[in-house]
Amino acid sequence: MFEEKVMTALKELNPDTKEESLQLYLTQVKKIYFDVFKISFNQKSSQLKIPWKKIEDYFDEKNYAMTTRANYYSSLFNVFTALDYNKAITGQIKKMRDKYKQQYKDIDDGLKSQKQEDNFVSATLLNKFIDDYTKKIEDGTFTEGTTADDKHLLQVWMILKLLREYFFRNEIATLEFVRKKEYDASRKKDETDRNMIVMEKKGWFISKNKYKTQKLYGEEKIPIEGQMLTDLKFYYEINGGGMLFKSSFQKGGTRPTKMTPNALSKYLIKWSKNNIPPLVLEDGSKKARSLSTTMIVKAFQSAKQGATKTELKKDSKNRGNKPTTMMEVYVSTKEPEV
């Protein structure tokens, strides 16, 4: 009953925020109360005077990155504000959230934490996996009778290719093949929770509807062209319609096989731990790397934009303005007439 009250208050305070995000706020607050204060978050405990400084000790003990700390403080702030909690404490929570957000913003690099630095790999390495997998696929026989290993190889190959081409977030997990007729029916129903590869005779395209910034940008339609189109048609011929990816190819197993954004994170972490060269620490020991869609995109974007970013920062410093100002005010994509 109390959690329902909290969710109702959160929805009233944040009417445009997705329910799963609101649920995450509550989940993280419950975790803080249980792990840090050793009590459950309920109607009574939510009003108790508790030692808030213990949260920082907990974060230090867990070695949480500034982004993780900011997220937890953001959850506390949203829940406390929704419940009209003690304004002095709520204000202090907001200050801590803003402090870590600013620290994150001040880092003048795409690698925002030691964890990201440890898991950073080159686009060259990832491209080699794509090339090696392409060769195996071309040499192999991919039919309905392929082994689970072959299916995993084919799936990782497609995930890496899509991330290299379109730089998606975890919404890539929910992509599905659909015919134009099904797409039209979905649009007619105003469905906003499907990410589709639409197989239209005039040309295939991606219809992205459920993604992080969907409320701001709405449906995003991306034409599929060139080698990516060829590869997706091949992938469709092998796997057929429906969802592109599965979390497991276990026959007769009890585990769910539907790929979700969370399942994709686990899937890529398992793949990278088994295939990506480990990080060698100062004492000679080895630490497995864990690649997410974020780190894979950082690799591809760093290779594509890294040199440009370095030059832009240098030119901006000479000009006396920020790189964003240089891009927005001084850089045009138009071709001059003379």
Side-chain angles (χ1 to χ4, degrees):
M1 183 68 79
F2 174 67
E3 290 190 13
E4 291 178 8
K5 175 185 173 183
V6 175
M7 286 299 294
T8 299
L10 283 169
K11 289 175 184 177
E12 290 176 357
L13 183 68
N14 308 278
D16 296 328
T17 303
K18 294 179 181 179
E19 185 162 349
E20 51 259 43
S21 296
L22 301 179
Q23 186 62 56
L24 180 61
Y25 296 161
L26 180 56
T27 299
Q28 289 191 327
V29 170
K30 287 166 62 179
K31 182 174 174 60
I32 289 292
Y33 268 71
F34 186 79
D35 288 356
V36 180
F37 308 125
K38 311 303 180 187
I39 56 176
S40 298
F41 181 65
N42 52 43
Q43 181 72 49
K44 184 178 179 181
S45 66
S46 67
Q47 303 300 316
L48 292 176
K49 291 183 178 179
I50 48 185
W52 294 103
K53 289 184 179 179
K54 275 193 172 183
I55 296 176
E56 281 296 295
D57 295 335
Y58 171 75
F59 288 163
D60 290 341
E61 180 185 329
K62 294 290 184 180
N63 197 27
Y64 280 163
M66 62 191 74
T67 48
T68 304
R69 298 180 188 221
N71 287 337
Y72 272 105
Y73 279 125
S74 184
S75 294
L76 285 163
F77 174 73
N78 278 287
V79 170
F80 288 169
T81 301
L83 294 176
D84 196 24
Y85 189 70
N86 184 299
K87 286 183 170 53
I89 293 176
T90 303
Q92 188 60 37
I93 293 293
K94 181 178 181 296
K95 285 182 181 179
M96 295 302 293
R97 179 202 67 181
D98 293 346
K99 166 190 165 183
Y100 286 117
K101 280 189 172 183
Q102 189 60 49
Q103 286 182 5
Y104 180 84
K105 187 177 179 181
D106 289 343
I107 296 176
D108 191 23
D109 192 81
L111 301 178
K112 301 292 188 179
S113 68
Q114 186 60 52
K115 182 179 179 181
Q116 289 193 355
E117 289 189 29
D118 290 348
N119 291 309
F120 188 53
V121 299
S122 68
T124 301
L125 177 67
L126 296 177
N127 284 329
K128 188 176 186 305
F129 277 107
I130 292 174
D131 293 342
D132 289 347
Y133 289 177
T134 299
K135 189 174 185 302
K136 288 180 180 179
I137 290 167
E138 290 174 346
D139 292 345
T141 304
F142 284 83
T143 65
E144 290 183 1
T146 55
T147 65
D149 286 344
D150 281 343
K151 290 180 179 178
H152 282 301
L153 183 147
L154 186 67
Q155 181 163 278
V156 172
W157 172 76
M158 180 50 63
I159 291 171
L160 291 176
K161 295 212 77 171
L162 285 168
L163 290 175
R164 183 175 68 178
E165 185 73 18
Y166 302 115
F167 311 110
F168 289 152
R169 294 186 176 92
N170 270 22
E171 68 267 8
I172 189 177
T174 60
L175 281 172
E176 55 181 314
F177 286 117
V178 301
R179 296 288 180 186
K180 181 63 163 52
K181 186 177 180 181
E182 184 176 351
Y183 166 76
D184 290 339
S186 177
R187 298 305 298 167
K188 207 168 186 179
K189 294 176 185 176
D190 198 28
E191 293 178 335
T192 58
D193 61 347
R194 298 179 71 181
N195 295 316
M196 299 170 277
I197 293 179
V198 184
M199 302 177 290
E200 185 180 18
K201 289 182 179 179
K202 294 180 181 178
W204 286 26
F205 64 91
I206 295 171
S207 170
K208 206 164 67 150
N209 295 280
K210 189 174 183 180
Y211 59 103
K212 188 174 181 180
T213 50
Q214 181 270 335
K215 287 186 177 290
L216 182 62
Y217 298 110
E219 181 193 20
E220 184 179 353
K221 293 175 73 172
I222 306 167
I224 305 172
E225 300 169 332
Q227 187 61 45
M228 196 70 248
L229 177 61
T230 302
D231 292 337
L232 278 168
K233 284 184 176 180
F234 168 76
Y235 193 83
Y236 173 74
E237 288 174 8
I238 298 300
N239 290 324
M243 305 296 293
L244 267 71
F245 307 121
K246 291 184 178 182
S247 61
S248 171
F249 294 102
Q250 180 186 20
K251 287 186 178 181
T254 57
R255 289 185 299 172
T257 61
K258 181 180 179 181
M259 186 68 86
T260 64
N262 187 48
L264 177 62
S265 295
K266 295 177 181 177
Y267 185 83
L268 287 174
I269 287 172
K270 183 178 180 181
W271 171 79
S272 56
K273 283 183 175 180
N274 290 333
N275 293 277
I276 300 294
L279 175 71
V280 180
L281 303 177
E282 290 183 0
D283 63 1
S285 62
K286 296 179 179 180
K287 178 182 176 183
R289 299 182 197 265
S290 300
L291 299 193
S292 61
T293 55
T294 297
M295 293 310 300
I296 292 171
V297 168
K298 280 180 186 283
F300 288 131
Q301 276 290 298
S302 295
K304 185 177 181 180
Q305 311 288 358
T308 302
K309 182 177 180 180
T310 300
E311 284 297 311
L312 183 65
K313 286 163 66 175
K314 177 184 173 183
D315 295 346
S316 299
K317 185 177 180 181
N318 293 340
R319 176 75 184 171
N321 52 232
K322 295 180 179 179
T324 51
T325 303
M326 189 69 87
M327 286 295 292
E328 292 170 2
V329 178
Y330 298 102
V331 178
S332 175
T333 56
K334 294 180 179 178
E335 286 289 335
E337 294 182 2
V338 293

